[in-house]
Amino acid sequence: ARFELMLLRDPRKANASARASFQDRNEADDALLLAATAAAARDQESLRAVRAWQQQYRYQDVRLDTLLGALP
């Protein structure tokens, strides 16, 4: 997903890859990557999924908070 976002500059494809990874592993790095790709792709559903994960696990990360700031 990171390759697709940064090098291929394809946020939608990157977001699909990041979402699959997040669903499989559900770890902090996956949440951060999904938030980054979702913000780039303007995918509010994925941003909400990351926010729910963050609240469920009480995970705090300034980078994640910044990316999730795109939520209405």
Side-chain angles (χ1 to χ4, degrees):
R2 196 174 319 274
F3 173 80
E4 293 162 339
L5 181 64
M6 304 303 277
L7 297 176
L8 298 181
R9 300 190 187 279
D10 188 343
R12 288 198 172 110
K13 187 173 182 180
N15 190 53
S17 296
R19 184 139 181 123
S21 180
F22 181 70
Q23 289 174 341
D24 286 343
R25 298 184 330 161
N26 221 355
E27 295 179 7
D29 286 341
D30 298 306
L32 188 58
L33 184 56
L34 179 57
T37 61
R42 296 187 179 115
D43 178 1
Q44 296 295 311
E45 182 181 336
S46 290
L47 287 171
R48 283 191 292 274
V50 173
R51 172 68 79 196
W53 173 88
Q54 183 186 38
Q55 291 172 345
Q56 178 182 354
Y57 292 102
R58 297 185 180 121
Y59 183 76
Q60 296 181 357
D61 186 316
V62 170
R63 300 166 300 169
L64 192 57
D65 290 339
T66 300
L67 290 166
L68 293 175
L71 271 175

